[in-house]
Amino acid sequence: MTLSTAQHTWRQFVSRLRYKGCGTRSRCSVNERRNWMHYHRFILLLGMLALMSGCASVANIPPSASTPPAAPTVTSTSAPLPDAASIPTTQPTPDRAVLPAPLYILAGGQIVRIERDGVTQTQITTETPPAVDALAIVAFDIAPATATLVYVVQNIDKPSLLIRTDADGNWRSVLLDDRFVSFPLLSPDGSTVAFSAFDEGLYVMPVAGGEPRLILPNQPVTDLTVSGGDGRGFAPAAWSPNGARLLVHAYSLTVERCELAVVDLSSGAITYLKAPELIPSCATAAWSADSQSIYFSVVNPSNLFNEPGLWQGNAVDGISTALPLEPANVLVRAPFATQERLYAFVTPFPAQVADLDVPPYPEMPFTMSSVSLTGGLLLPLRNDAFTLYQTLWADNGSGAVIFESSDPMQVRVLWVPANGDPTVELYRGQDIYEIAWGRAP
């Protein structure tokens, strides 16, 4: 992709409304769907876009007491999802806790909270879309430590809004209205929000309000002959648990390539994770509990498909080593580390790798597993398997919330316990994009 084409594509996505059902209806062109998929393939978690489907409605969920003023919009994309007829689920009951904490979901352009019982649902926001059938909210995050919520509302032909509320949607305040904001990410203590600003770079700003600080400006293209391009844009991916560093996606401004890097918040220094002859994958990465390293998968630069195994990179110098896993020939998705164990979803590496080079990629079932922090034998935690698109682990590794759909117009949000208990269906709908844990009791 040339620089001019890349810039044009980016401008399309920050200036054009994102509509409900984009990717599943004729209103979205083939090129638009392809460009949208290319963008998220490297900037977001690999599976998120497969879920961007349908025209959701959350009108049947009672709103919270607070009704924020009107604000702006966005659209959605989707791809066919796997057949999940074989996945048994149980229905939660309001008399017992199912989840470790309340779960927040971005569905149909509004934020919905599911309580720990897995049953009670409350629509937290009532933002006004900027156009008919457009989505209002397009990204959000919540800090469990402070129960602070931030989200991005899209607009027409002008910058988006970065909004702050409490966990119930009350005390609504506009933090920013003069930048095209994306990927808001709250620090572990809830005091700071990191975000990307189109054509500018990576910012942080106090959640209480104040001026944003540019900590990592985009690197302009200076030499088109450099392999992978020398221009980079940056998007926040994950805060370190101690809040001192940010894992970021460093994406090329000229070609389809994304790398992992660590930014020191105090100095602004950036360190790229290194893997000999391979590319650290933006699709799969997680911090260690002690904030000293990052677990990540790697990509073969010849076909841009994940290689088997998992790597561990030093957050200070970027030096990485392959984690010894048994079996070794497995693809690893959605790693998550506690103080004691490493959790992930794994599947045997496909025998015919050539079949994976051209979309549509085959849908592969992944099994919830666990392994020592230093590697070793992968232990399956369940007897079933899932096709992964979005995954959110519980902080203690007791289970994970995943997106599942055999019908792109009906995404299911499932709680998958790590002890082998039946999965629990938490939510069903369309245009479901993001999930995040609220404050635990």
Side-chain angles (χ1 to χ4, degrees):
M1 182 184 293
T2 65
L3 175 60
S4 59
T5 303
Q7 289 180 328
H8 175 69
T9 301
W10 276 92
R11 292 185 186 279
Q12 282 183 317
F13 290 122
V14 296
S15 61
R16 178 187 302 166
L17 297 182
R18 290 170 56 189
Y19 289 92
K20 301 177 184 179
C22 179
T24 60
R25 297 187 179 184
S26 59
R27 70 189 304 160
C28 300
S29 69
V30 173
N31 286 338
E32 181 176 353
R33 290 196 294 270
R34 183 179 66 242
N35 289 338
W36 185 247
M37 289 296 290
H38 285 174
Y39 165 59
H40 280 271
R41 181 180 180 186
F42 297 98
I43 311 306
L44 298 179
L45 294 175
L46 183 64
M48 283 182 63
L49 289 191
L51 298 179
M52 294 186 175
S53 56
C55 297
S57 173
V58 287
N60 59 333
I61 301 174
S64 61
S66 172
T67 303
T73 3
V74 183
T75 39
S76 53
T77 319
S78 66
L81 299 179
D83 182 4
S86 61
I87 301 178
T89 60
T90 60
Q91 294 299 319
T93 57
D95 59 347
R96 68 184 183 93
V98 172
L99 301 173
L103 182 70
Y104 287 73
I105 298 178
L106 178 56
Q110 303 293 343
I111 298 171
V112 176
R113 183 177 64 219
I114 300 176
E115 304 299 342
R116 294 186 64 217
D117 60 15
V119 176
T120 307
Q121 300 179 5
T122 304
Q123 183 177 322
I124 299 301
T125 60
T126 55
E127 298 290 344
T128 302
V132 175
D133 283 343
L135 302 177
I137 299 171
V138 294
F140 86 100
D141 196 19
I142 186 168
T146 60
T148 300
L149 183 69
V150 295
Y151 55 87
V152 177
V153 178
Q154 71 174 336
N155 223 325
I156 298 179
D157 297 328
K158 59 183 179 179
S160 52
L161 300 180
L162 180 62
I163 307 292
R164 181 199 67 218
T165 72
D166 66 9
D168 296 320
N170 300 319
W171 302 99
R172 181 183 184 275
S173 176
V174 178
L175 294 178
L176 276 180
D177 62 1
D178 60 354
R179 288 175 173 86
F180 289 101
V181 174
S182 59
F183 310 108
L185 197 62
L186 285 164
S187 60
D189 65 2
S191 66
T192 305
V193 59
F195 61 88
S196 289
F198 173 66
D199 263 355
E200 297 183 54
L202 181 64
Y203 281 88
V204 294
M205 72 174 295
V207 171
E211 286 298 314
R213 177 168 64 96
L214 181 64
I215 61 169
L216 194 60
N218 288 352
Q219 299 172 0
V221 177
T222 60
D223 187 354
L224 292 175
T225 66
V226 174
S227 176
D230 64 344
R232 290 291 183 272
F234 301 99
W239 286 85
S240 62
N242 63 11
R245 297 183 177 93
L246 266 173
L247 180 67
V248 302
H249 291 164
Y251 54 90
S252 172
L253 297 177
T254 55
V255 297
E256 291 182 351
R257 178 168 177 166
C258 181
E259 299 170 279
L260 291 174
V262 177
V263 178
D264 185 289
L265 272 296
S266 60
S267 67
I270 181 170
T271 302
Y272 283 83
L273 297 181
K274 309 172 184 70
E277 299 181 2
L278 297 167
I279 303 173
S281 170
C282 287
T284 297
W287 281 97
S288 62
D290 62 6
S291 300
Q292 299 303 305
S293 61
I294 298 99
Y295 295 98
F296 62 92
S297 61
V298 292
V299 169
N300 187 324
S302 66
N303 60 16
L304 296 180
F305 195 80
N306 280 43
E307 289 287 292
L310 196 67
W311 289 59
Q312 186 175 13
N314 187 291
V316 176
D317 59 21
I319 296 175
S320 307
T321 57
L323 205 66
L325 299 178
E326 301 176 24
N329 199 36
V330 292
L331 286 175
V332 181
R333 292 282 173 84
F336 174 77
T338 65
Q339 294 282 2
E340 298 82 21
R341 300 283 291 177
L342 180 64
Y343 298 85
F345 286 82
V346 302
T347 192
F349 191 72
Q352 301 296 326
V353 180
D355 294 341
L356 304 175
D357 293 347
V358 179
Y361 302 116
E363 295 159 349
M364 294 175 289
F366 286 76
T367 300
M368 181 182 281
S369 304
S370 176
V371 68
S372 166
L373 293 174
T374 57
L377 181 65
L378 282 161
L379 301 176
L381 300 176
R382 301 180 57 88
N383 295 323
D384 46 13
F386 308 88
T387 302
L388 298 182
Y389 300 104
Q390 175 82 301
T391 304
L392 177 66
W393 286 93
D395 286 344
N396 60 2
S398 60
V401 177
I402 68 169
F403 286 2
E404 175 282 317
S405 181
S406 55
D407 175 2
M409 298 296 287
Q410 283 293 322
V411 176
R412 295 197 304 165
V413 180
L414 303 179
W415 166 248
V416 184
N419 62 5
D421 284 351
T423 59
V424 178
E425 181 175 324
L426 303 172
Y427 194 89
R428 183 190 293 258
Q430 303 157 350
D431 284 308
I432 302 177
Y433 294 97
E434 298 181 7
I435 46 179
W437 293 118
R439 176 184 280 177

